Amino acid sequence: MKRVFRRYAFALIAFLSTVLITLFNREIGMKTFIIAEDSLKQMLGVLPPVMLLLGLMDVWVPRETMMKYMGDDSGFVGIAFAILIGSLAAGPMYAAFPFTLVLLRKGVKFSNVIIFMNAWCVTKIPTLIFELTALGYEFTMVRLLMNLPGIILMGYLVERFLPRDERDKLYMDAEKIQQQSG
């Protein structure tokens, strides 16, 4: 029971805080509940397809293949795959975290994991299409060409400055989560 409470403590505190706010200011409290409901609906619409694709990737793509194309010795190919996978993504950033977990379990180089996450945020194809139509070709290309080096640089900087033992812990935690869930 204590473990469950600790796991959901933040959500419980947020809920109780919203109830408390509602008691003092009904309008703000109700707006908060409506926003939370909309976010929950969005999440329930996004996560099932993401989890399905994630499960397929986890089963169909062997660890050796991921390590070959995105592992420590993957070089430019690993960077390109990380950007491509992140760019093909659809959905909000929280949907990237389960993919990140699979990448860690599959032995993907840490900088490529960070590059994937950055690409998910910055270079998604649906976002680029919107930008093209709303802001024009020139703006979209300039932004993209400015962001790509930053995405790659950020991946290598995070890998460089995150202590090795912390990175190893992330990989081990990803393995533990897989063992606990299956």
Side-chain angles (χ1 to χ4, degrees):
M1 182 66 176
K2 199 178 212 181
R3 185 176 172 195
V4 171
F5 178 76
R6 233 181 315 147
R7 185 174 194 167
Y8 297 105
F10 180 78
L12 183 60
I13 291 169
F15 176 75
L16 293 174
S17 299
T18 305
V19 168
L20 188 63
I21 290 169
T22 305
L23 293 174
F24 288 101
N25 189 327
R26 183 170 169 76
E27 183 181 340
I28 292 175
M30 294 312 292
K31 281 183 183 178
T32 305
F33 278 115
I34 289 168
I35 290 169
E37 179 186 18
D38 290 343
S39 296
L40 182 64
K41 286 177 183 176
Q42 179 193 30
M43 190 169 54
L44 291 174
V46 169
L47 284 182
V50 166
M51 292 306 196
L52 178 66
L53 290 172
L54 184 62
L56 293 173
M57 184 179 109
D58 200 15
V59 172
W60 287 350
V61 181
R63 179 181 169 92
E64 296 76 26
T65 303
M66 289 299 283
M67 288 179 69
K68 177 181 177 183
Y69 292 108
M70 295 182 74
D72 287 333
D73 298 325
S74 61
F76 179 75
V77 171
I79 293 169
F81 270 118
I83 291 172
L84 178 67
I85 294 169
S87 297
L88 292 173
M93 184 62 203
Y94 60 77
F97 294 117
F99 275 97
T100 302
L101 187 64
V102 170
L103 293 177
L104 289 170
R105 285 196 313 248
K106 298 274 187 183
V108 170
K109 183 178 180 181
F110 194 72
S111 61
N112 288 339
V113 172
I114 300 301
I115 290 168
F116 158 78
M117 292 178 72
N118 285 326
W120 186 296
C121 292
V122 177
T123 64
K124 283 191 285 194
I125 291 173
T127 303
L128 292 175
I129 291 170
F130 171 77
E131 277 184 10
L132 280 169
T133 58
L135 302 171
Y137 177 79
E138 188 175 324
F139 173 85
T140 303
M141 289 303 119
V142 168
R143 185 198 64 80
L144 185 61
L145 291 174
M146 290 180 71
N147 286 156
L148 283 174
I151 288 169
I152 297 166
L153 180 63
M154 184 64 66
Y156 281 94
L157 285 174
V158 170
E159 182 178 61
R160 168 77 173 94
F161 289 113
L162 187 67
R164 182 74 181 167
D165 60 326
E166 290 291 323
R167 281 183 286 166
D168 290 344
K169 185 178 181 321
L170 288 170
Y171 283 96
M172 287 188 317
D173 288 347
E175 287 295 326
K176 284 181 192 174
I177 290 171
Q178 181 181 22
Q179 291 170 358
Q180 289 173 354
S181 65

